[in-house]
Amino acid sequence: MADPFLSIQHIRKSFGPTTVVQDFNLDVGAGEFVSFLGPSGCGKTTVLRMVAGFEEPTSGKIVVGGKDVTRLKPNQRNVGMVFQAYALFPNLTVAQNVAFGLKVAGVSKAETDARVAEMLSIIKLPQFGDRYPYQLSGGQQQRVALARALAPRPKLLLLDEPLSALDAKVRVALRDEIRSIQKNLGITTVFVTHDQEEALSISDRIVVMYGGKAEQVGTPFEIYNRPSTRFVANFVGTLNVLEATVADSASGRVRVNDQDVELSRPIEGKRSGDALSLALRPEAISIGDHPGRGTRIGGEISEVSFLGSVIRIRVGVGPTAVSLDTFNNPSTPPPRVGEKAHISFSAQDVLVLQD
């Protein structure tokens, strides 16, 4: 990335003896939508608050649009922020809430009125200007909070789990709207969430965080299909983990439940006899033989769940149960619990997990 719009450089944050963010680095391009994804307490909101100016880094530097803003107050950064708890002013109408930042900045009434009308149109609430927050649904309140953040034309938009208080259907609709608005305005955006589906569906890149550090940074495709650590592999998506023993590291041959499995590449940093964890996504596995999936492991059907269009099957491979889904075929009955079976997959789809 030649000229990042947002550059977070070696940021560290400690509260007393406790370090919650450790040597965090990230460059975000102009107009990019980047999500911070991770469990509660991993440091993602603390990083966002340092970018916004609500927390001061213990060390490190934050640059926005080529300007060092590390020690500037929030109102000096030209950054818009949408909080998890909406934070609308209950005594102000929708229009007055949206206009708040413009009024503070001393924008003229005519310009403010035009901008408020524009923002209410963008969030699809043009007739709601005279209503108060209590007269709106949760999704509508969050749209107003977004409009209020965008009204002063900030250089950078920060979203701190803005959808977590909404029900599932509203979340899906609103996250798509947020992404659409972000694309139309071309504003650089950082989005904090613990919901992997949200991050995967709307992000240009994802930063997976754990223990105050960035475990992996990449596109949704890279994060899901090529996780670089055990934590990322387990946190993003559903994963089957098979315990193996290295038989020949140079050729990539391992043994799983006393059965030989050939990997697609040599195994670095391991010797014969070393333990190894292999991971497979459920969609990479088939029951029986399947074109293009030449690797086979025998096992026993341990569970069959009929879910309508999909049948979820668990196959016991030694002490491990491997999960996979297959489409329902009315002319082919599903396997029975206790039957011997084998699973097949491609060696290319096997991930070697790093601790």
Short mmCIF file of all heavy atoms in Angstrom, two decimals, residues 59-112:
data_model
loop_
_atom_site.label_atom_id
_atom_site.label_comp_id
_atom_site.label_asym_id
_atom_site.label_seq_id
_atom_site.Cartn_x
_atom_site.Cartn_y
_atom_site.Cartn_z
N SER A 59 2.29 4.08 23.96
CA SER A 59 3.37 4.37 23.02
C SER A 59 2.85 4.10 21.61
O SER A 59 1.82 3.46 21.42
CB SER A 59 4.60 3.51 23.31
OG SER A 59 4.30 2.13 23.18
N GLY A 60 3.58 4.61 20.62
CA GLY A 60 3.19 4.43 19.23
C GLY A 60 2.61 5.68 18.61
O GLY A 60 2.55 6.75 19.25
N LYS A 61 2.20 5.59 17.35
CA LYS A 61 1.76 6.77 16.60
C LYS A 61 0.56 6.42 15.72
O LYS A 61 0.47 5.31 15.18
CB LYS A 61 2.91 7.28 15.73
CG LYS A 61 2.61 8.59 15.00
CD LYS A 61 3.87 9.24 14.48
CE LYS A 61 4.45 8.54 13.28
NZ LYS A 61 5.53 9.33 12.62
N ILE A 62 -0.35 7.38 15.57
CA ILE A 62 -1.52 7.24 14.71
C ILE A 62 -1.52 8.40 13.71
O ILE A 62 -1.46 9.57 14.10
CB ILE A 62 -2.83 7.25 15.51
CG1 ILE A 62 -2.85 6.07 16.50
CG2 ILE A 62 -4.04 7.19 14.59
CD1 ILE A 62 -3.97 6.14 17.50
N VAL A 63 -1.57 8.07 12.42
CA VAL A 63 -1.53 9.07 11.36
C VAL A 63 -2.80 8.95 10.52
O VAL A 63 -3.15 7.86 10.07
CB VAL A 63 -0.28 8.89 10.47
CG1 VAL A 63 -0.28 9.91 9.34
CG2 VAL A 63 1.00 8.99 11.29
N VAL A 64 -3.50 10.06 10.33
CA VAL A 64 -4.71 10.09 9.51
C VAL A 64 -4.53 11.13 8.41
O VAL A 64 -4.28 12.30 8.69
CB VAL A 64 -5.96 10.43 10.36
CG1 VAL A 64 -7.20 10.53 9.46
CG2 VAL A 64 -6.19 9.38 11.44
N GLY A 65 -4.64 10.69 7.17
CA GLY A 65 -4.48 11.60 6.05
C GLY A 65 -3.15 12.30 6.04
O GLY A 65 -3.06 13.48 5.65
N GLY A 66 -2.09 11.62 6.46
CA GLY A 66 -0.75 12.19 6.48
C GLY A 66 -0.45 13.06 7.69
O GLY A 66 0.66 13.58 7.82
N LYS A 67 -1.39 13.20 8.61
CA LYS A 67 -1.21 14.06 9.79
C LYS A 67 -1.15 13.21 11.05
O LYS A 67 -2.00 12.35 11.28
CB LYS A 67 -2.37 15.06 9.88
CG LYS A 67 -2.28 16.01 11.07
CD LYS A 67 -3.47 16.95 11.10
CE LYS A 67 -3.42 17.90 12.28
NZ LYS A 67 -4.60 18.80 12.32
N ASP A 68 -0.15 13.46 11.87
CA ASP A 68 -0.01 12.76 13.15
C ASP A 68 -1.08 13.29 14.11
O ASP A 68 -1.07 14.45 14.50
CB ASP A 68 1.39 13.00 13.73
CG ASP A 68 1.66 12.19 14.99
OD1 ASP A 68 0.70 11.66 15.59
OD2 ASP A 68 2.84 12.08 15.38
N VAL A 69 -2.02 12.41 14.49
CA VAL A 69 -3.12 12.83 15.37
C VAL A 69 -3.02 12.17 16.75
O VAL A 69 -3.95 12.27 17.55
CB VAL A 69 -4.49 12.47 14.74
CG1 VAL A 69 -4.66 13.15 13.39
CG2 VAL A 69 -4.65 10.95 14.60
N THR A 70 -1.90 11.56 17.05
CA THR A 70 -1.76 10.74 18.26
C THR A 70 -2.16 11.48 19.52
O THR A 70 -2.81 10.91 20.41
CB THR A 70 -0.30 10.23 18.40
OG1 THR A 70 0.12 9.68 17.15
CG2 THR A 70 -0.20 9.17 19.48
N ARG A 71 -1.77 12.75 19.64
CA ARG A 71 -2.05 13.51 20.87
C ARG A 71 -3.17 14.52 20.71
O ARG A 71 -3.41 15.33 21.61
CB ARG A 71 -0.76 14.24 21.32
CG ARG A 71 0.47 13.35 21.44
CD ARG A 71 0.25 12.21 22.43
NE ARG A 71 1.33 11.22 22.36
CZ ARG A 71 1.27 10.04 22.93
NH1 ARG A 71 0.21 9.68 23.61
NH2 ARG A 71 2.28 9.18 22.81
N LEU A 72 -3.88 14.48 19.58
CA LEU A 72 -4.96 15.43 19.38
C LEU A 72 -6.24 14.96 20.08
O LEU A 72 -6.46 13.76 20.25
CB LEU A 72 -5.25 15.60 17.88
CG LEU A 72 -4.15 16.21 17.02
CD1 LEU A 72 -4.64 16.36 15.58
CD2 LEU A 72 -3.71 17.56 17.57
N LYS A 73 -7.08 15.91 20.46
CA LYS A 73 -8.37 15.58 21.07
C LYS A 73 -9.32 15.05 19.99
O LYS A 73 -9.13 15.30 18.80
CB LYS A 73 -8.96 16.84 21.72
CG LYS A 73 -8.15 17.36 22.89
CD LYS A 73 -8.76 18.63 23.46
CE LYS A 73 -7.93 19.17 24.62
NZ LYS A 73 -8.49 20.42 25.17
N PRO A 74 -10.37 14.32 20.41
CA PRO A 74 -11.29 13.76 19.42
C PRO A 74 -11.88 14.78 18.45
O PRO A 74 -11.99 14.50 17.26
CB PRO A 74 -12.40 13.14 20.30
CG PRO A 74 -11.72 12.80 21.58
CD PRO A 74 -10.69 13.89 21.79
N ASN A 75 -12.24 15.97 18.95
CA ASN A 75 -12.86 16.96 18.08
C ASN A 75 -11.87 17.65 17.14
O ASN A 75 -12.25 18.48 16.33
CB ASN A 75 -13.61 18.01 18.91
CG ASN A 75 -12.69 18.80 19.83
OD1 ASN A 75 -11.52 18.47 19.98
ND2 ASN A 75 -13.23 19.85 20.45
N GLN A 76 -10.58 17.30 17.25
CA GLN A 76 -9.57 17.86 16.37
C GLN A 76 -9.15 16.88 15.26
O GLN A 76 -8.28 17.20 14.46
CB GLN A 76 -8.33 18.26 17.18
CG GLN A 76 -8.59 19.34 18.22
CD GLN A 76 -7.38 19.58 19.12
OE1 GLN A 76 -6.71 18.63 19.55
NE2 GLN A 76 -7.09 20.85 19.40
N ARG A 77 -9.77 15.72 15.22
CA ARG A 77 -9.31 14.67 14.30
C ARG A 77 -10.17 14.53 13.05
O ARG A 77 -9.80 13.80 12.13
CB ARG A 77 -9.27 13.32 15.03
CG ARG A 77 -8.33 13.33 16.22
CD ARG A 77 -8.14 11.94 16.79
NE ARG A 77 -7.26 11.99 17.96
CZ ARG A 77 -6.52 10.98 18.40
NH1 ARG A 77 -6.56 9.82 17.79
NH2 ARG A 77 -5.76 11.12 19.46
N ASN A 78 -11.35 15.13 13.03
CA ASN A 78 -12.28 14.99 11.91
C ASN A 78 -12.60 13.51 11.65
O ASN A 78 -12.50 13.01 10.53
CB ASN A 78 -11.73 15.65 10.64
CG ASN A 78 -12.82 15.86 9.60
OD1 ASN A 78 -14.01 15.74 9.90
ND2 ASN A 78 -12.42 16.18 8.38
N VAL A 79 -12.95 12.85 12.73
CA VAL A 79 -13.30 11.43 12.69
C VAL A 79 -14.73 11.27 13.16
O VAL A 79 -15.13 11.86 14.18
CB VAL A 79 -12.35 10.61 13.59
CG1 VAL A 79 -12.85 9.18 13.75
CG2 VAL A 79 -10.94 10.62 13.00
N GLY A 80 -15.54 10.50 12.43
CA GLY A 80 -16.90 10.20 12.85
C GLY A 80 -16.96 8.85 13.53
O GLY A 80 -16.31 7.90 13.08
N MET A 81 -17.73 8.74 14.61
CA MET A 81 -17.80 7.47 15.33
C MET A 81 -19.25 7.12 15.65
O MET A 81 -20.03 7.97 16.08
CB MET A 81 -16.98 7.53 16.62
CG MET A 81 -16.87 6.19 17.32
SD MET A 81 -15.45 6.12 18.45
CE MET A 81 -15.62 4.43 19.06
N VAL A 82 -19.59 5.85 15.41
CA VAL A 82 -20.91 5.32 15.75
C VAL A 82 -20.72 4.29 16.84
O VAL A 82 -19.96 3.33 16.68
CB VAL A 82 -21.59 4.69 14.53
CG1 VAL A 82 -22.96 4.11 14.91
CG2 VAL A 82 -21.75 5.72 13.41
N PHE A 83 -21.43 4.48 17.95
CA PHE A 83 -21.25 3.62 19.11
C PHE A 83 -22.25 2.47 19.12
O PHE A 83 -23.29 2.51 18.45
CB PHE A 83 -21.41 4.44 20.41
CG PHE A 83 -20.40 5.54 20.55
CD1 PHE A 83 -20.68 6.82 20.08
CD2 PHE A 83 -19.17 5.30 21.15
CE1 PHE A 83 -19.75 7.84 20.21
CE2 PHE A 83 -18.24 6.32 21.28
CZ PHE A 83 -18.53 7.58 20.81
N GLN A 84 -21.95 1.47 19.93
CA GLN A 84 -22.83 0.32 20.09
C GLN A 84 -24.19 0.74 20.64
O GLN A 84 -25.22 0.24 20.23
CB GLN A 84 -22.15 -0.68 21.04
CG GLN A 84 -22.96 -1.93 21.32
CD GLN A 84 -22.21 -2.89 22.22
OE1 GLN A 84 -21.02 -2.75 22.44
NE2 GLN A 84 -22.92 -3.85 22.76
N ALA A 85 -24.18 1.69 21.57
CA ALA A 85 -25.42 2.10 22.25
C ALA A 85 -25.96 3.40 21.67
O ALA A 85 -26.32 4.32 22.40
CB ALA A 85 -25.17 2.25 23.75
N TYR A 86 -25.95 3.54 20.34
CA TYR A 86 -26.57 4.67 19.60
C TYR A 86 -26.15 6.06 20.11
O TYR A 86 -25.67 6.89 19.36
CB TYR A 86 -28.10 4.59 19.61
CG TYR A 86 -28.66 3.23 19.30
CD1 TYR A 86 -29.83 2.79 19.89
CD2 TYR A 86 -28.02 2.36 18.42
CE1 TYR A 86 -30.37 1.54 19.61
CE2 TYR A 86 -28.53 1.11 18.14
CZ TYR A 86 -29.71 0.71 18.75
OH TYR A 86 -30.21 -0.52 18.48
N ALA A 87 -26.36 6.33 21.43
CA ALA A 87 -25.98 7.60 22.06
C ALA A 87 -26.67 8.80 21.41
O ALA A 87 -26.09 9.88 21.32
CB ALA A 87 -24.45 7.79 22.01
N LEU A 88 -27.91 8.62 21.00
CA LEU A 88 -28.69 9.75 20.48
C LEU A 88 -29.17 10.61 21.65
O LEU A 88 -29.40 10.12 22.75
CB LEU A 88 -29.89 9.25 19.68
CG LEU A 88 -29.58 8.45 18.41
CD1 LEU A 88 -30.88 7.97 17.79
CD2 LEU A 88 -28.77 9.27 17.42
N PHE A 89 -29.34 11.90 21.38
CA PHE A 89 -29.85 12.80 22.41
C PHE A 89 -31.37 12.67 22.47
O PHE A 89 -32.07 12.99 21.50
CB PHE A 89 -29.47 14.24 22.09
CG PHE A 89 -27.98 14.45 21.99
CD1 PHE A 89 -27.38 14.74 20.78
CD2 PHE A 89 -27.17 14.36 23.13
CE1 PHE A 89 -26.01 14.94 20.68
CE2 PHE A 89 -25.80 14.54 23.04
CZ PHE A 89 -25.22 14.83 21.82
N PRO A 90 -31.92 12.19 23.60
CA PRO A 90 -33.36 11.89 23.65
C PRO A 90 -34.24 13.12 23.55
O PRO A 90 -35.41 13.02 23.14
CB PRO A 90 -33.53 11.20 25.01
CG PRO A 90 -32.37 11.66 25.83
CD PRO A 90 -31.24 11.85 24.87
N ASN A 91 -33.70 14.29 23.94
CA ASN A 91 -34.50 15.52 23.93
C ASN A 91 -34.43 16.26 22.60
O ASN A 91 -35.04 17.33 22.44
CB ASN A 91 -34.04 16.46 25.05
CG ASN A 91 -32.58 16.83 24.92
OD1 ASN A 91 -31.76 15.99 24.53
ND2 ASN A 91 -32.23 18.07 25.24
N LEU A 92 -33.69 15.72 21.64
CA LEU A 92 -33.58 16.34 20.31
C LEU A 92 -34.30 15.49 19.29
O LEU A 92 -34.33 14.25 19.39
CB LEU A 92 -32.11 16.49 19.91
CG LEU A 92 -31.21 17.33 20.80
CD1 LEU A 92 -29.80 17.44 20.20
CD2 LEU A 92 -31.79 18.74 21.02
N THR A 93 -34.86 16.13 18.28
CA THR A 93 -35.49 15.40 17.19
C THR A 93 -34.42 14.70 16.35
O THR A 93 -33.21 14.94 16.52
CB THR A 93 -36.29 16.33 16.29
OG1 THR A 93 -35.38 17.24 15.64
CG2 THR A 93 -37.34 17.10 17.07
N VAL A 94 -34.88 13.86 15.43
CA VAL A 94 -33.96 13.19 14.51
C VAL A 94 -33.12 14.22 13.75
O VAL A 94 -31.90 14.12 13.65
CB VAL A 94 -34.74 12.28 13.54
CG1 VAL A 94 -33.86 11.86 12.36
CG2 VAL A 94 -35.30 11.08 14.27
N ALA A 95 -33.79 15.24 13.21
CA ALA A 95 -33.08 16.27 12.44
C ALA A 95 -32.07 17.01 13.33
O ALA A 95 -30.94 17.29 12.89
CB ALA A 95 -34.07 17.25 11.84
N GLN A 96 -32.45 17.30 14.55
CA GLN A 96 -31.54 18.01 15.46
C GLN A 96 -30.35 17.14 15.86
O GLN A 96 -29.23 17.63 16.02
CB GLN A 96 -32.30 18.47 16.70
CG GLN A 96 -33.28 19.61 16.43
CD GLN A 96 -34.23 19.86 17.60
OE1 GLN A 96 -34.49 18.98 18.42
NE2 GLN A 96 -34.77 21.09 17.67
N ASN A 97 -30.58 15.84 16.02
CA ASN A 97 -29.48 14.91 16.30
C ASN A 97 -28.48 14.89 15.15
O ASN A 97 -27.27 14.98 15.36
CB ASN A 97 -30.02 13.49 16.55
CG ASN A 97 -30.25 13.21 18.02
OD1 ASN A 97 -29.31 12.92 18.77
ND2 ASN A 97 -31.50 13.28 18.45
N VAL A 98 -28.99 14.78 13.93
CA VAL A 98 -28.12 14.73 12.76
C VAL A 98 -27.36 16.05 12.60
O VAL A 98 -26.20 16.07 12.20
CB VAL A 98 -28.94 14.42 11.49
CG1 VAL A 98 -28.05 14.48 10.25
CG2 VAL A 98 -29.58 13.04 11.60
N ALA A 99 -28.01 17.15 12.96
CA ALA A 99 -27.40 18.47 12.80
C ALA A 99 -26.41 18.82 13.90
O ALA A 99 -25.69 19.82 13.78
CB ALA A 99 -28.50 19.54 12.75
N PHE A 100 -26.33 18.02 14.95
CA PHE A 100 -25.58 18.40 16.14
C PHE A 100 -24.12 18.75 15.83
O PHE A 100 -23.62 19.81 16.22
CB PHE A 100 -25.63 17.29 17.18
CG PHE A 100 -24.93 17.63 18.46
CD1 PHE A 100 -25.54 18.43 19.41
CD2 PHE A 100 -23.64 17.18 18.70
CE1 PHE A 100 -24.89 18.77 20.59
CE2 PHE A 100 -22.98 17.50 19.87
CZ PHE A 100 -23.60 18.30 20.82
N GLY A 101 -23.44 17.87 15.11
CA GLY A 101 -22.02 18.12 14.81
C GLY A 101 -21.82 19.34 13.93
O GLY A 101 -20.83 20.06 14.08
N LEU A 102 -22.74 19.57 13.04
CA LEU A 102 -22.65 20.75 12.16
C LEU A 102 -22.85 22.02 12.96
O LEU A 102 -22.16 23.04 12.73
CB LEU A 102 -23.72 20.64 11.07
CG LEU A 102 -23.60 19.42 10.14
CD1 LEU A 102 -24.86 19.29 9.28
CD2 LEU A 102 -22.37 19.54 9.26
N LYS A 103 -23.77 21.99 13.92
CA LYS A 103 -24.02 23.16 14.76
C LYS A 103 -22.79 23.49 15.60
O LYS A 103 -22.40 24.66 15.72
CB LYS A 103 -25.23 22.89 15.66
CG LYS A 103 -25.65 24.09 16.50
CD LYS A 103 -26.91 23.76 17.31
CE LYS A 103 -27.32 24.96 18.18
NZ LYS A 103 -28.54 24.67 18.98
N VAL A 104 -22.18 22.45 16.16
CA VAL A 104 -20.97 22.66 16.97
C VAL A 104 -19.85 23.26 16.12
O VAL A 104 -19.08 24.10 16.59
CB VAL A 104 -20.51 21.32 17.60
CG1 VAL A 104 -19.13 21.46 18.23
CG2 VAL A 104 -21.52 20.84 18.63
N ALA A 105 -19.79 22.85 14.85
CA ALA A 105 -18.75 23.35 13.95
C ALA A 105 -19.04 24.74 13.40
O ALA A 105 -18.21 25.31 12.67
CB ALA A 105 -18.55 22.37 12.80
N GLY A 106 -20.22 25.29 13.73
CA GLY A 106 -20.55 26.64 13.29
C GLY A 106 -21.02 26.73 11.85
O GLY A 106 -20.94 27.81 11.22
N VAL A 107 -21.53 25.65 11.30
CA VAL A 107 -22.04 25.66 9.92
C VAL A 107 -23.34 26.46 9.87
O VAL A 107 -24.16 26.40 10.80
CB VAL A 107 -22.27 24.21 9.43
CG1 VAL A 107 -22.85 24.20 8.03
CG2 VAL A 107 -20.96 23.42 9.48
N SER A 108 -23.54 27.20 8.80
CA SER A 108 -24.72 28.04 8.67
C SER A 108 -26.00 27.21 8.68
O SER A 108 -25.99 26.02 8.33
CB SER A 108 -24.65 28.85 7.37
OG SER A 108 -24.81 28.00 6.25
N LYS A 109 -27.13 27.83 9.05
CA LYS A 109 -28.40 27.12 9.14
C LYS A 109 -28.82 26.57 7.79
O LYS A 109 -29.30 25.43 7.69
CB LYS A 109 -29.48 28.04 9.69
CG LYS A 109 -30.81 27.31 9.94
CD LYS A 109 -31.86 28.23 10.51
CE LYS A 109 -33.15 27.47 10.87
NZ LYS A 109 -33.69 26.66 9.76
N ALA A 110 -28.66 27.36 6.74
CA ALA A 110 -29.07 26.91 5.42
C ALA A 110 -28.27 25.69 4.98
O ALA A 110 -28.84 24.70 4.47
CB ALA A 110 -28.89 28.04 4.40
N GLU A 111 -26.97 25.73 5.20
CA GLU A 111 -26.12 24.59 4.83
C GLU A 111 -26.42 23.38 5.71
O GLU A 111 -26.44 22.24 5.23
CB GLU A 111 -24.65 24.99 4.96
CG GLU A 111 -23.69 23.93 4.42
CD GLU A 111 -22.23 24.37 4.48
OE1 GLU A 111 -21.98 25.59 4.67
OE2 GLU A 111 -21.36 23.49 4.38
N THR A 112 -26.68 23.64 6.99
CA THR A 112 -27.01 22.55 7.91
C THR A 112 -28.31 21.87 7.50
O THR A 112 -28.39 20.63 7.44
CB THR A 112 -27.14 23.08 9.35
OG1 THR A 112 -25.87 23.56 9.78
CG2 THR A 112 -27.61 21.98 10.29
#
